[in-house]
Amino acid sequence: MQRPAPMPRRTLLVLAFLAVCIIWGSTYLGIRVTLESFPPFFIGAVRFIVAGAVLFGVARMRGETSPSLREWASAVLTGALFFVVGNGLVNVAELSVSSGLVSVLVATMPLWTTLFSRLFGTPVSGREAAGVVLGLVGVAVMNLGGELRASPGGAVCALLAPMGWALGSVFSQRLPLPGGMMRTASQMLGGGAATMLVSLALHEHLGAAPSLRAVLAVLYLCVFGSLVGFTAYSYLLAHTRPAVATSYAYVNPIIAVALGAAFAGERFGATSLVGAVIVLAAVALVGLARSRRIAPPAGAPAALSEAR
């Protein structure tokens, strides 16, 4: 029997980009559903320990070596920033702030990455600096909408979460970490374990038997949000420019807002909408400025031009 012809790369790239945009945009609604039955840090612990264990097993089957002790230490530190601060505080924020609004605040991550990189000595262009300032203006405008002021604790968590992701990204470029799939697997396992410790320290527990839809939402976050989403994103990074691969960040909030409105009855006021547009414009400005600064020389293949 003749084997079917492989799918063209352009088609695979389009499918991978759509998968990242839709899946990662939908995880905010998924988190909101899981919070109906599960405490916030427990969700993250289960999600990333399971996903990390699967990726670790796949990496070992592919012949990748296990991390050294130093690499495990770096994986725990960066994983804690990603999954305790980044993901855990997103979960906490969604207890009192709409999933759509949280998604917009999380989209400021490239702005904080630019700021933290500058603190560690990486030069920042004028356009990148302007993007950071514009993004802060957008956050201030969103605050005028009322929802963030109505839940200051949730707003602070939603703002700290992308800072954790940004700082984890900066440290990931400077600390010894394993390569390939083992890098993400070790960070998920280390961060998931750290998140579980936080959950135990806070004495999180199930108030009652979880609902079926909450359990299905956890499974969705594990399988699609972590495993499928990561695989699609890795394919994009390996076969296109980083500026293209990371442009999902402009689309995710739109999908999150639409799903929150359609399935959770969330409403986005006019002032908050204006602030969200300003934030996304700032993220786009920083992304374009960075892509020009790190663009590979003419004639070079379109591949990874920076580590992300």
Side-chain angles (χ1 to χ4, degrees), residues 215-272:
V215 172
L216 292 177
V218 171
L219 292 175
Y220 178 82
L221 291 175
C222 290
V223 176
F224 289 94
S226 297
L227 296 175
V228 178
F230 163 76
T231 302
Y233 183 58
S234 297
Y235 184 83
L236 287 175
L237 282 177
H239 296 93
T240 187
R241 293 181 294 111
V244 175
T246 56
S247 61
Y248 74 87
Y250 319 138
V251 184
N252 279 1
I254 298 173
I255 293 176
V257 169
L259 291 177
F263 296 101
E266 298 177 352
R267 294 292 177 263
F268 221 67
T271 304
S272 296

Side-chain angles (χ1 to χ4, degrees), residues 2-308:
Q2 187 176 5
R3 299 178 64 180
M7 192 175 295
R9 174 174 291 185
R10 182 181 296 273
T11 302
L12 288 174
L13 286 173
V14 171
L15 291 176
F17 183 75
L18 289 175
V20 171
C21 289
I22 296 172
I23 291 174
W24 282 357
S26 67
T27 55
Y28 294 94
L29 178 62
I31 290 170
R32 184 179 177 89
V33 174
T34 63
L35 290 170
E36 296 174 358
S37 297
F38 297 99
F41 288 101
F42 178 79
I43 298 170
V46 171
R47 174 181 176 184
F48 294 109
I49 289 175
V50 171
V54 172
L55 288 178
F56 186 91
V58 173
R60 291 291 291 144
M61 287 190 293
R62 292 175 53 181
E64 297 185 23
T65 59
S66 297
S68 66
L69 186 60
R70 289 186 63 202
E71 290 172 337
W72 271 120
S74 298
V76 171
L77 173 59
T78 55
L81 288 169
F82 286 141
F83 305 123
V84 175
V85 181
N87 179 264
L89 292 186
V90 165
N91 296 349
V92 174
E94 287 202 33
L95 290 171
S96 56
V97 179
S98 68
S99 61
L101 198 55
V102 170
S103 72
V104 175
L105 294 176
V106 171
T108 63
M109 192 271 287
L111 310 182
W112 301 114
T113 302
T114 299
L115 180 60
F116 291 145
S117 296
R118 179 66 185 90
L119 296 178
F120 282 90
T122 301
V124 173
S125 68
R127 290 187 178 183
E128 288 175 302
V132 172
V133 174
L134 182 62
L136 295 177
V137 170
V139 172
V141 172
M142 289 177 65
N143 188 54
L144 298 176
E147 184 178 352
L148 294 182
R149 285 182 295 165
S151 178
V156 170
C157 288
L159 283 171
L160 289 177
M163 295 183 193
W165 275 101
L167 197 56
S169 299
V170 172
F171 282 159
S172 292
Q173 295 177 341
R174 290 165 170 77
L175 295 176
L177 286 164
M181 186 179 293
M182 188 62 73
R183 180 189 186 97
T184 301
S186 61
Q187 288 177 317
M188 282 187 174
L189 284 173
T195 307
M196 182 60 77
L197 289 177
V198 172
S199 177
L200 293 174
L202 294 176
H203 303 289
E204 290 186 338
H205 62 279
L206 299 181
S211 66
L212 176 59
R213 72 186 223 135
V215 172
L216 292 177
V218 171
L219 292 175
Y220 178 82
L221 291 175
C222 290
V223 176
F224 289 94
S226 297
L227 296 175
V228 178
F230 163 76
T231 302
Y233 183 58
S234 297
Y235 184 83
L236 287 175
L237 282 177
H239 296 93
T240 187
R241 293 181 294 111
V244 175
T246 56
S247 61
Y248 74 87
Y250 319 138
V251 184
N252 279 1
I254 298 173
I255 293 176
V257 169
L259 291 177
F263 296 101
E266 298 177 352
R267 294 292 177 263
F268 221 67
T271 304
S272 296
L273 181 60
V274 171
V277 171
I278 295 174
V279 167
L280 295 181
V283 174
L285 178 60
V286 168
L288 290 174
R290 183 183 300 172
S291 65
R292 291 181 180 180
R293 177 162 58 85
I294 64 174
L304 282 175
S305 54
E306 68 172 347
R308 294 191 64 85

